Tab-separated table of all heavy atoms in Angstrom:
chain	number	residue	atom	x	y	z
A	13	MET	N	0.802	-1.219	-0.006
A	13	MET	CA	0.016	0.015	0.016
A	13	MET	C	0.897	1.224	-0.008
A	13	MET	O	1.877	1.327	0.696
A	13	MET	CB	-0.912	0.034	1.254
A	13	MET	CG	-1.799	1.253	1.281
A	13	MET	SD	-2.696	1.499	2.857
A	13	MET	CE	-3.935	0.153	2.787
A	14	ALA	N	0.491	2.289	-0.778
A	14	ALA	CA	1.265	3.469	-0.822
A	14	ALA	C	1.146	4.226	0.467
A	14	ALA	O	0.113	4.178	1.141
A	14	ALA	CB	0.692	4.298	-1.930
A	15	ASP	N	2.185	4.893	0.824
A	15	ASP	CA	2.211	5.676	1.998
A	15	ASP	C	1.886	7.177	1.639
A	15	ASP	O	2.733	7.889	1.274
A	15	ASP	CB	3.574	5.675	2.698
A	15	ASP	CG	3.560	6.329	4.025
A	15	ASP	OD1	2.519	6.641	4.590
A	15	ASP	OD2	4.684	6.589	4.502
A	16	ILE	N	0.604	7.497	1.720
A	16	ILE	CA	0.173	8.817	1.287
A	16	ILE	C	-0.591	9.443	2.488
A	16	ILE	O	-1.436	8.707	3.085
A	16	ILE	CB	-0.794	8.751	0.092
A	16	ILE	CG1	-0.101	8.144	-1.157
A	16	ILE	CG2	-1.388	10.092	-0.305
A	16	ILE	CD1	-0.906	7.786	-2.312
A	17	LYS	N	-0.332	10.646	2.759
A	17	LYS	CA	-1.045	11.339	3.801
A	17	LYS	C	-1.856	12.536	3.219
A	17	LYS	O	-1.329	13.258	2.379
A	17	LYS	CB	-0.125	11.857	4.866
A	17	LYS	CG	0.483	10.672	5.587
A	17	LYS	CD	1.393	11.103	6.741
A	17	LYS	CE	1.950	9.899	7.404
A	17	LYS	NZ	3.126	10.086	8.201
A	18	ILE	N	-3.020	12.713	3.573
A	18	ILE	CA	-3.890	13.861	3.152
A	18	ILE	C	-4.236	14.654	4.476
A	18	ILE	O	-4.836	14.079	5.377
A	18	ILE	CB	-5.188	13.346	2.548
A	18	ILE	CG1	-4.785	12.556	1.275
A	18	ILE	CG2	-5.939	14.574	2.136
A	18	ILE	CD1	-5.992	11.901	0.595
A	19	GLN	N	-3.774	15.846	4.437
A	19	GLN	CA	-3.994	16.684	5.681
A	19	GLN	C	-5.066	17.732	5.338
A	19	GLN	O	-5.022	18.435	4.318
A	19	GLN	CB	-2.665	17.389	6.043
A	19	GLN	CG	-2.720	18.172	7.334
A	19	GLN	CD	-1.356	18.724	7.717
A	19	GLN	OE1	-0.452	18.721	6.969
A	19	GLN	NE2	-1.225	19.102	8.970
A	20	VAL	N	-6.038	17.868	6.318
A	20	VAL	CA	-7.100	18.864	6.089
A	20	VAL	C	-7.002	19.823	7.270
A	20	VAL	O	-6.979	19.504	8.395
A	20	VAL	CB	-8.430	18.119	6.237
A	20	VAL	CG1	-9.619	19.162	5.966
A	20	VAL	CG2	-8.558	16.952	5.234
A	21	LEU	N	-6.819	21.036	6.798
A	21	LEU	CA	-6.641	22.213	7.857
A	21	LEU	C	-7.837	23.135	7.711
A	21	LEU	O	-8.426	23.263	6.605
A	21	LEU	CB	-5.383	22.889	7.553
A	21	LEU	CG	-4.067	22.084	7.657
A	21	LEU	CD1	-2.889	22.884	7.249
A	21	LEU	CD2	-3.917	21.578	9.120
A	22	ASP	N	-8.100	23.886	8.718
A	22	ASP	CA	-9.117	25.012	8.584
A	22	ASP	C	-8.637	25.993	7.474
A	22	ASP	O	-7.482	26.355	7.394
A	22	ASP	CB	-9.230	25.773	9.987
A	22	ASP	CG	-9.802	24.892	10.980
A	22	ASP	OD1	-10.429	23.856	10.720
A	22	ASP	OD2	-9.749	25.320	12.146
A	23	ASN	N	-9.621	26.374	6.742
A	23	ASN	CA	-9.446	27.583	5.771
A	23	ASN	C	-8.236	27.357	4.838
A	23	ASN	O	-7.591	28.285	4.428
A	23	ASN	CB	-9.202	28.854	6.512
A	23	ASN	CG	-10.215	29.116	7.640
A	23	ASN	OD1	-11.363	28.706	7.545
A	23	ASN	ND2	-9.820	29.628	8.768
A	24	ALA	N	-8.015	26.105	4.396
A	24	ALA	CA	-6.803	25.839	3.583
A	24	ALA	C	-7.150	24.657	2.596
A	24	ALA	O	-8.145	24.058	2.695
A	24	ALA	CB	-5.733	25.397	4.555
A	25	PRO	N	-6.204	24.461	1.671
A	25	PRO	CA	-6.341	23.382	0.692
A	25	PRO	C	-6.153	21.977	1.322
A	25	PRO	O	-5.642	22.018	2.459
A	25	PRO	CB	-5.260	23.753	-0.335
A	25	PRO	CG	-4.241	24.449	0.422
A	25	PRO	CD	-4.906	25.284	1.440
A	26	LEU	N	-6.349	21.021	0.553
A	26	LEU	CA	-5.921	19.666	1.002
A	26	LEU	C	-4.493	19.538	0.722
A	26	LEU	O	-3.978	19.766	-0.399
A	26	LEU	CB	-6.757	18.565	0.230
A	26	LEU	CG	-8.225	18.542	0.432
A	26	LEU	CD1	-8.889	17.497	-0.472
A	26	LEU	CD2	-8.610	18.216	1.898
A	27	ILE	N	-3.737	19.146	1.653
A	27	ILE	CA	-2.343	18.895	1.526
A	27	ILE	C	-2.017	17.393	1.367
A	27	ILE	O	-2.340	16.594	2.272
A	27	ILE	CB	-1.579	19.446	2.771
A	27	ILE	CG1	-1.854	20.917	2.890
A	27	ILE	CG2	-0.026	19.192	2.638
A	27	ILE	CD1	-1.385	21.541	4.214
A	28	ILE	N	-1.490	17.065	0.184
A	28	ILE	CA	-1.250	15.682	-0.113
A	28	ILE	C	0.257	15.448	-0.068
A	28	ILE	O	1.054	16.144	-0.691
A	28	ILE	CB	-1.721	15.395	-1.580
A	28	ILE	CG1	-3.021	15.938	-1.987
A	28	ILE	CG2	-1.602	13.872	-1.843
A	28	ILE	CD1	-4.175	15.467	-1.112
A	29	LYS	N	0.662	14.397	0.810
A	29	LYS	CA	2.092	14.137	0.939
A	29	LYS	C	2.301	12.649	0.682
A	29	LYS	O	1.582	11.825	1.165
A	29	LYS	CB	2.464	14.380	2.443
A	29	LYS	CG	2.424	15.817	2.786
A	29	LYS	CD	2.841	16.043	4.179
A	29	LYS	CE	2.735	17.588	4.619
A	29	LYS	NZ	3.048	17.798	6.011
A	30	GLY	N	3.315	12.458	-0.176
A	30	GLY	CA	3.564	11.031	-0.546
A	30	GLY	C	3.593	10.923	-2.113
A	30	GLY	O	3.407	11.881	-2.832
A	31	GLU	N	3.681	9.722	-2.523
A	31	GLU	CA	3.793	9.532	-4.011
A	31	GLU	C	2.360	9.190	-4.587
A	31	GLU	O	1.999	8.146	-5.041
A	31	GLU	CB	4.753	8.362	-4.300
A	31	GLU	CG	6.142	8.657	-3.941
A	31	GLU	CD	6.769	9.982	-4.596
A	31	GLU	OE1	6.492	10.176	-5.775
A	31	GLU	OE2	7.382	10.647	-3.796
A	32	ALA	N	1.482	10.144	-4.417
A	32	ALA	CA	0.075	10.049	-4.914
A	32	ALA	C	0.040	10.282	-6.388
A	32	ALA	O	0.772	11.093	-6.990
A	32	ALA	CB	-0.808	11.088	-4.190
A	33	GLU	N	-0.879	9.582	-7.010
A	33	GLU	CA	-1.110	9.748	-8.459
A	33	GLU	C	-2.335	10.604	-8.674
A	33	GLU	O	-3.402	10.256	-8.157
A	33	GLU	CB	-1.212	8.434	-9.237
A	33	GLU	CG	-1.175	8.512	-10.702
A	33	GLU	CD	-1.157	7.133	-11.408
A	33	GLU	OE1	-1.410	6.129	-10.685
A	33	GLU	OE2	-0.874	7.133	-12.590
A	34	LEU	N	-2.236	11.669	-9.350
A	34	LEU	CA	-3.314	12.610	-9.599
A	34	LEU	C	-3.842	12.384	-11.017
A	34	LEU	O	-3.066	12.528	-11.989
A	34	LEU	CB	-2.914	14.034	-9.363
A	34	LEU	CG	-4.060	15.094	-9.446
A	34	LEU	CD1	-5.109	14.867	-8.399
A	34	LEU	CD2	-3.404	16.460	-9.241
A	35	ILE	N	-5.113	12.003	-11.176
A	35	ILE	CA	-5.647	11.664	-12.515
A	35	ILE	C	-6.661	12.650	-12.966
A	35	ILE	O	-7.559	13.019	-12.145
A	35	ILE	CB	-6.369	10.243	-12.450
A	35	ILE	CG1	-5.438	9.235	-11.844
A	35	ILE	CG2	-6.821	9.797	-13.842
A	35	ILE	CD1	-4.245	8.920	-12.677
A	36	ASP	N	-6.658	13.188	-14.194
A	36	ASP	CA	-7.631	14.195	-14.630
A	36	ASP	C	-8.906	13.384	-15.080
A	36	ASP	O	-8.965	12.215	-15.065
A	36	ASP	CB	-7.053	15.044	-15.649
A	36	ASP	CG	-6.857	14.416	-17.052
A	36	ASP	OD1	-7.293	13.191	-17.227
A	36	ASP	OD2	-6.221	15.051	-17.902
A	37	GLY	N	-9.882	14.176	-15.617
A	37	GLY	CA	-11.168	13.585	-16.047
A	37	GLY	C	-11.092	12.691	-17.174
A	37	GLY	O	-12.066	11.974	-17.461
A	38	GLU	N	-10.023	12.743	-17.882
A	38	GLU	CA	-9.847	11.829	-19.069
A	38	GLU	C	-8.983	10.635	-18.783
A	38	GLU	O	-8.579	9.872	-19.625
A	38	GLU	CB	-9.189	12.659	-20.197
A	38	GLU	CG	-10.168	13.807	-20.670
A	38	GLU	CD	-9.459	14.656	-21.713
A	38	GLU	OE1	-8.315	14.511	-21.965
A	38	GLU	OE2	-10.205	15.479	-22.336
A	39	GLY	N	-8.608	10.552	-17.483
A	39	GLY	CA	-7.754	9.387	-17.068
A	39	GLY	C	-6.283	9.547	-17.224
A	39	GLY	O	-5.509	8.579	-17.085
A	40	LYS	N	-5.849	10.819	-17.597
A	40	LYS	CA	-4.410	11.096	-17.744
A	40	LYS	C	-3.796	11.479	-16.478
A	40	LYS	O	-4.422	12.244	-15.642
A	40	LYS	CB	-4.205	12.207	-18.751
A	40	LYS	CG	-4.726	11.846	-20.089
A	40	LYS	CD	-4.571	13.076	-21.059
A	40	LYS	CE	-5.219	12.823	-22.373
A	40	LYS	NZ	-5.328	13.964	-23.120
A	41	THR	N	-2.580	10.970	-16.239
A	41	THR	CA	-1.808	11.336	-14.970
A	41	THR	C	-1.333	12.799	-15.161
A	41	THR	O	-0.748	13.205	-16.099
A	41	THR	CB	-0.631	10.382	-14.783
A	41	THR	OG1	-1.161	9.023	-14.655
A	41	THR	CG2	0.122	10.758	-13.560
A	42	MET	N	-1.592	13.495	-14.031
A	42	MET	CA	-1.159	14.854	-14.057
A	42	MET	C	0.169	15.001	-13.285
A	42	MET	O	0.408	14.175	-12.365
A	42	MET	CB	-2.251	15.740	-13.263
A	42	MET	CG	-3.591	15.703	-13.934
A	42	MET	SD	-4.811	16.600	-13.083
A	42	MET	CE	-4.317	18.336	-13.473
A	43	GLU	N	0.943	15.880	-13.651
A	43	GLU	CA	2.271	16.128	-13.003
A	43	GLU	C	2.098	16.537	-11.482
A	43	GLU	O	1.308	17.529	-11.285
A	43	GLU	CB	3.115	17.059	-13.817
A	43	GLU	CG	4.551	17.154	-13.269
A	43	GLU	CD	5.432	17.964	-14.216
A	43	GLU	OE1	5.144	18.040	-15.406
A	43	GLU	OE2	6.339	18.630	-13.674
A	44	THR	N	2.826	15.953	-10.586
A	44	THR	CA	2.774	16.328	-9.226
A	44	THR	C	4.157	16.228	-8.610
A	44	THR	O	5.091	15.722	-9.339
A	44	THR	CB	1.817	15.399	-8.323
A	44	THR	OG1	2.276	14.101	-8.453
A	44	THR	CG2	0.397	15.561	-8.822
A	45	SER	N	4.317	16.557	-7.375
A	45	SER	CA	5.535	16.314	-6.654
A	45	SER	C	5.208	15.570	-5.438
A	45	SER	O	4.099	15.105	-5.293
A	45	SER	CB	6.198	17.701	-6.256
A	45	SER	OG	5.303	18.421	-5.439
A	46	SER	N	6.098	15.304	-4.490
A	46	SER	CA	5.861	14.436	-3.342
A	46	SER	C	5.019	15.208	-2.331
A	46	SER	O	4.527	14.558	-1.395
A	46	SER	CB	7.138	14.050	-2.626
A	46	SER	OG	7.960	15.243	-2.361
A	47	GLU	N	4.787	16.483	-2.517
A	47	GLU	CA	3.799	17.250	-1.764
A	47	GLU	C	3.101	18.223	-2.700
A	47	GLU	O	3.759	18.953	-3.483
A	47	GLU	CB	4.407	17.967	-0.601
A	47	GLU	CG	3.361	18.745	0.163
A	47	GLU	CD	3.895	19.489	1.334
A	47	GLU	OE1	4.899	18.979	2.080
A	47	GLU	OE2	3.375	20.550	1.701
A	48	PHE	N	1.741	18.173	-2.702
A	48	PHE	CA	1.015	19.212	-3.446
A	48	PHE	C	-0.225	19.471	-2.731
A	48	PHE	O	-0.679	18.796	-1.886
A	48	PHE	CB	0.857	18.733	-4.918
A	48	PHE	CG	0.064	17.383	-5.090
A	48	PHE	CD1	-1.255	17.367	-5.269
A	48	PHE	CD2	0.832	16.233	-4.984
A	48	PHE	CE1	-1.911	16.150	-5.458
A	48	PHE	CE2	0.131	14.977	-5.201
A	48	PHE	CZ	-1.215	14.910	-5.374
A	49	HIS	N	-0.881	20.702	-3.131
A	49	HIS	CA	-2.043	21.146	-2.415
A	49	HIS	C	-3.165	21.242	-3.396
A	49	HIS	O	-3.100	21.859	-4.468
A	49	HIS	CB	-1.755	22.527	-1.801
A	49	HIS	CG	-0.574	22.511	-0.920
A	49	HIS	ND1	-0.010	23.676	-0.437
A	49	HIS	CD2	0.148	21.492	-0.398
A	49	HIS	CE1	1.040	23.355	0.381
A	49	HIS	NE2	1.190	22.097	0.407
A	50	LEU	N	-4.287	20.578	-3.029
A	50	LEU	CA	-5.475	20.632	-3.876
A	50	LEU	C	-6.412	21.675	-3.411
A	50	LEU	O	-6.847	21.692	-2.181
A	50	LEU	CB	-6.156	19.271	-3.909
A	50	LEU	CG	-5.319	18.148	-4.571
A	50	LEU	CD1	-6.073	16.836	-4.423
A	50	LEU	CD2	-5.015	18.520	-6.013
A	51	CYS	N	-6.918	22.520	-4.305
A	51	CYS	CA	-7.870	23.574	-3.969
A	51	CYS	C	-9.224	22.986	-3.523
A	51	CYS	O	-9.712	22.015	-4.115
A	51	CYS	CB	-8.132	24.395	-5.229
A	51	CYS	SG	-9.413	25.729	-5.006
A	52	ARG	N	-9.710	23.516	-2.411
A	52	ARG	CA	-11.045	23.101	-2.112
A	52	ARG	C	-11.952	24.325	-1.818
A	52	ARG	O	-13.052	24.242	-1.356
A	52	ARG	CB	-11.122	22.243	-0.843
A	52	ARG	CG	-10.579	22.800	0.473
A	52	ARG	CD	-10.561	21.721	1.574
A	52	ARG	NE	-10.205	22.261	2.757
A	52	ARG	CZ	-11.097	22.475	3.769
A	52	ARG	NH1	-12.338	22.094	3.628
A	52	ARG	NH2	-10.679	23.003	4.929
A	53	CYS	N	-11.540	25.514	-2.257
A	53	CYS	CA	-12.328	26.733	-2.211
A	53	CYS	C	-13.031	27.105	-3.445
A	53	CYS	O	-13.958	27.851	-3.515
A	53	CYS	CB	-11.468	27.921	-1.694
A	53	CYS	SG	-10.391	28.565	-2.977
A	54	GLY	N	-12.488	26.604	-4.573
A	54	GLY	CA	-13.028	26.880	-5.897
A	54	GLY	C	-12.566	28.146	-6.545
A	54	GLY	O	-12.922	28.518	-7.642
A	55	LEU	N	-11.591	28.888	-5.903
A	55	LEU	CA	-11.103	30.148	-6.412
A	55	LEU	C	-9.834	30.074	-7.176
A	55	LEU	O	-9.431	31.064	-7.897
A	55	LEU	CB	-10.936	31.189	-5.241
A	55	LEU	CG	-12.156	31.481	-4.399
A	55	LEU	CD1	-11.863	32.299	-3.204
A	55	LEU	CD2	-13.235	32.215	-5.327
A	56	SER	N	-9.150	28.918	-7.159
A	56	SER	CA	-7.813	28.861	-7.884
A	56	SER	C	-7.923	28.935	-9.325
A	56	SER	O	-8.936	28.470	-9.959
A	56	SER	CB	-7.230	27.471	-7.523
A	56	SER	OG	-6.027	27.258	-8.194
A	57	GLN	N	-6.977	29.597	-9.915
A	57	GLN	CA	-6.980	29.746	-11.381
A	57	GLN	C	-6.097	28.604	-11.941
A	57	GLN	O	-5.778	28.641	-13.211
A	57	GLN	CB	-6.322	31.135	-11.760
A	57	GLN	CG	-7.166	32.256	-11.312
A	57	GLN	CD	-8.569	32.269	-11.948
A	57	GLN	OE1	-8.669	32.245	-13.200
A	57	GLN	NE2	-9.601	32.290	-11.120
A	58	ASN	N	-5.662	27.728	-11.099
A	58	ASN	CA	-4.791	26.547	-11.464
A	58	ASN	C	-5.351	25.274	-10.883
A	58	ASN	O	-4.591	24.465	-10.358
A	58	ASN	CB	-3.345	26.848	-11.001
A	58	ASN	CG	-2.365	25.781	-11.593
A	58	ASN	OD1	-2.548	25.237	-12.686
A	58	ASN	ND2	-1.383	25.498	-10.832
A	59	LYS	N	-6.689	25.082	-11.092
A	59	LYS	CA	-7.291	23.903	-10.482
A	59	LYS	C	-6.765	22.654	-11.183
A	59	LYS	O	-6.466	22.761	-12.422
A	59	LYS	CB	-8.822	23.968	-10.609
A	59	LYS	CG	-9.534	25.041	-9.790
A	59	LYS	CD	-10.974	25.051	-10.090
A	59	LYS	CE	-11.649	26.252	-9.372
A	59	LYS	NZ	-11.552	27.461	-10.266
A	60	PRO	N	-6.674	21.562	-10.506
A	60	PRO	CA	-7.084	21.295	-9.149
A	60	PRO	C	-6.125	21.780	-8.049
A	60	PRO	O	-6.367	21.548	-6.893
A	60	PRO	CB	-7.228	19.764	-9.078
A	60	PRO	CG	-6.133	19.283	-9.962
A	60	PRO	CD	-6.142	20.313	-11.088
A	61	HIS	N	-5.036	22.430	-8.455
A	61	HIS	CA	-4.009	22.870	-7.470
A	61	HIS	C	-4.379	24.224	-6.874
A	61	HIS	O	-5.083	25.036	-7.505
A	61	HIS	CB	-2.654	22.998	-8.168
A	61	HIS	CG	-2.158	21.714	-8.732
A	61	HIS	ND1	-1.571	20.740	-7.934
A	61	HIS	CD2	-2.200	21.234	-9.991
A	61	HIS	CE1	-1.286	19.676	-8.717
A	61	HIS	NE2	-1.665	20.009	-9.930
A	62	CYS	N	-4.046	24.349	-5.681
A	62	CYS	CA	-4.235	25.579	-4.915
A	62	CYS	C	-3.224	26.630	-5.427
A	62	CYS	O	-2.030	26.323	-5.626
A	62	CYS	CB	-4.001	25.350	-3.409
A	62	CYS	SG	-3.906	26.878	-2.404
A	63	ASP	N	-3.675	27.900	-5.671
A	63	ASP	CA	-2.759	28.943	-6.106
A	63	ASP	C	-2.677	30.003	-5.000
A	63	ASP	O	-2.047	31.074	-5.287
A	63	ASP	CB	-3.085	29.505	-7.454
A	63	ASP	CG	-4.390	30.203	-7.442
A	63	ASP	OD1	-5.042	30.327	-6.387
A	63	ASP	OD2	-4.783	30.774	-8.529
A	64	GLY	N	-3.229	29.810	-3.827
A	64	GLY	CA	-3.212	30.714	-2.781
A	64	GLY	C	-4.360	31.718	-2.765
A	64	GLY	O	-4.484	32.578	-1.831
A	65	ALA	N	-5.263	31.640	-3.733
A	65	ALA	CA	-6.374	32.523	-3.830
A	65	ALA	C	-7.354	32.453	-2.636
A	65	ALA	O	-8.176	33.310	-2.413
A	65	ALA	CB	-7.138	32.363	-5.142
A	66	HIS	N	-7.264	31.386	-1.985
A	66	HIS	CA	-8.187	31.155	-0.828
A	66	HIS	C	-7.918	32.065	0.358
A	66	HIS	O	-8.779	32.308	1.234
A	66	HIS	CB	-8.102	29.698	-0.314
A	66	HIS	CG	-6.758	29.388	0.273
A	66	HIS	ND1	-5.690	28.913	-0.495
A	66	HIS	CD2	-6.209	29.480	1.542
A	66	HIS	CE1	-4.671	28.751	0.264
A	66	HIS	NE2	-4.906	29.051	1.465
A	67	GLN	N	-6.713	32.549	0.481
A	67	GLN	CA	-6.219	33.353	1.637
A	67	GLN	C	-7.108	34.533	1.915
A	67	GLN	O	-7.248	35.386	1.081
A	67	GLN	CB	-4.826	33.741	1.496
A	67	GLN	CG	-3.897	32.538	1.390
A	67	GLN	CD	-2.478	32.914	1.136
A	67	GLN	OE1	-2.053	34.010	1.085
A	67	GLN	NE2	-1.652	31.827	0.924
A	68	GLY	N	-7.781	34.570	3.102
A	68	GLY	CA	-8.649	35.603	3.435
A	68	GLY	C	-10.032	35.525	2.838
A	68	GLY	O	-10.839	36.475	3.141
A	69	LYS	N	-10.311	34.578	1.969
A	69	LYS	CA	-11.572	34.489	1.248
A	69	LYS	C	-12.330	33.193	1.412
A	69	LYS	O	-13.425	33.035	0.932
A	69	LYS	CB	-11.308	34.735	-0.256
A	69	LYS	CG	-10.732	36.035	-0.623
A	69	LYS	CD	-10.405	36.079	-2.074
A	69	LYS	CE	-9.652	37.319	-2.426
A	69	LYS	NZ	-8.991	37.223	-3.708
A	70	PHE	N	-11.666	32.329	2.218
A	70	PHE	CA	-12.298	31.015	2.389
A	70	PHE	C	-12.359	30.623	3.783
A	70	PHE	O	-11.331	30.637	4.515
A	70	PHE	CB	-11.499	29.967	1.503
A	70	PHE	CG	-11.933	28.537	1.690
A	70	PHE	CD1	-13.166	28.142	1.283
A	70	PHE	CD2	-10.999	27.583	2.141
A	70	PHE	CE1	-13.508	26.811	1.407
A	70	PHE	CE2	-11.413	26.202	2.228
A	70	PHE	CZ	-12.596	25.869	1.881
A	71	GLU	N	-13.501	30.269	4.300
A	71	GLU	CA	-13.597	29.749	5.670
A	71	GLU	C	-14.215	28.384	5.723
A	71	GLU	O	-15.243	28.181	5.092
A	71	GLU	CB	-14.500	30.743	6.535
A	71	GLU	CG	-13.846	32.083	6.753
A	71	GLU	CD	-14.677	32.929	7.711
A	71	GLU	OE1	-15.454	32.382	8.392
A	71	GLU	OE2	-14.516	34.179	7.638
A	72	SER	N	-13.561	27.463	6.308
A	72	SER	CA	-14.021	26.105	6.478
A	72	SER	C	-13.410	25.507	7.699
A	72	SER	O	-12.149	25.270	7.664
A	72	SER	CB	-13.692	25.364	5.247
A	72	SER	OG	-14.131	23.993	5.394
A	73	LYS	N	-14.186	25.291	8.645
A	73	LYS	CA	-13.652	24.625	9.870
A	73	LYS	C	-13.640	23.118	9.747
A	73	LYS	O	-14.774	22.595	9.288
A	73	LYS	CB	-14.419	25.037	11.109
A	73	LYS	CG	-14.312	26.529	11.459
A	73	LYS	CD	-12.965	26.810	11.946
A	73	LYS	CE	-12.894	28.373	12.314
A	73	LYS	NZ	-11.488	28.709	12.488
A	74	VAL	N	-12.653	22.437	10.042
A	74	VAL	CA	-12.600	21.004	9.941
A	74	VAL	C	-13.192	20.436	11.177
A	74	VAL	O	-12.889	20.744	12.283
A	74	VAL	CB	-11.145	20.488	9.745
A	74	VAL	CG1	-11.099	19.045	9.666
A	74	VAL	CG2	-10.562	21.144	8.457
A	75	ARG	N	-14.121	19.527	10.961
A	75	ARG	CA	-14.724	18.773	12.063
A	75	ARG	C	-13.957	17.608	12.335
A	75	ARG	O	-13.512	16.864	11.409
A	75	ARG	CB	-16.208	18.316	11.667
A	75	ARG	CG	-17.202	19.427	11.740
A	75	ARG	CD	-18.509	18.920	11.675
A	75	ARG	NE	-19.018	19.229	10.330
A	75	ARG	CZ	-20.179	18.681	9.836
A	75	ARG	NH1	-20.842	17.831	10.447
A	75	ARG	NH2	-20.576	19.065	8.698
A	76	THR	N	-13.716	17.231	13.629
A	76	THR	CA	-12.874	16.060	13.975
A	76	THR	C	-13.727	14.929	14.284
A	76	THR	O	-13.222	13.825	14.432
A	76	THR	CB	-12.102	16.418	15.161
A	76	THR	OG1	-12.865	16.863	16.218
A	76	THR	CG2	-11.049	17.502	14.842
A	77	LYS	N	-15.050	15.052	14.316
A	77	LYS	CA	-15.975	13.846	14.533
A	77	LYS	C	-17.018	13.844	13.524
A	77	LYS	O	-17.454	14.822	12.918
A	77	LYS	CB	-16.643	13.915	15.839
A	77	LYS	CG	-15.719	13.544	16.949
A	77	LYS	CD	-16.532	13.337	18.274
A	77	LYS	CE	-15.646	12.558	19.255
A	77	LYS	NZ	-16.418	12.219	20.423
B	121	FES	S1	-7.832	26.278	-1.587
B	121	FES	FE1	-6.270	27.601	-2.160
B	121	FES	S2	-6.957	28.475	-3.944
B	121	FES	FE2	-8.568	27.250	-3.344
């Protein structure tokens, strides 16, 4: 099994750590690195990656239960 970690933080993108494979809607592998951040605010101009546009404009508290 791959060792991949997905970190969810308040008001922030999903942080992916490890050798995850990111696949687009056509089934093609997208270029990534050993750590990348996926947008979850919808404001990025570089989706699915976070470009920092969320800063000060996105609020989402992570529930732990
Ligand atoms: S989460 Fe960073 S731009 Fe959307």
Side-chain angles (χ1 to χ4, degrees):
M13 180 191 290
D15 186 16
I16 299 168
K17 293 183 179 165
I18 302 172
Q19 187 174 17
V20 185
L21 302 172
D22 291 346
N23 314 322
L26 296 175
I27 300 170
I28 316 299
K29 295 179 180 175
E31 298 304 318
E33 190 174 13
L34 184 61
I35 310 294
D36 72 10
E38 297 175 349
K40 297 178 188 164
T41 300
M42 302 177 74
E43 188 172 326
T44 60
S45 60
S46 61
E47 178 178 327
F48 56 97
H49 303 172
L50 294 178
C51 177
R52 66 184 185 105
C53 74
L55 299 173
S56 175
Q57 297 299 306
N58 188 32
K59 293 179 188 83
H61 298 280
C62 170
D63 68 359
H66 65 272
Q67 295 175 8
K69 299 176 186 163
F70 176 60
E71 290 186 21
S72 177
K73 295 289 182 196
V74 177
R75 285 192 253 167
T76 56
K77 282 193 168 188

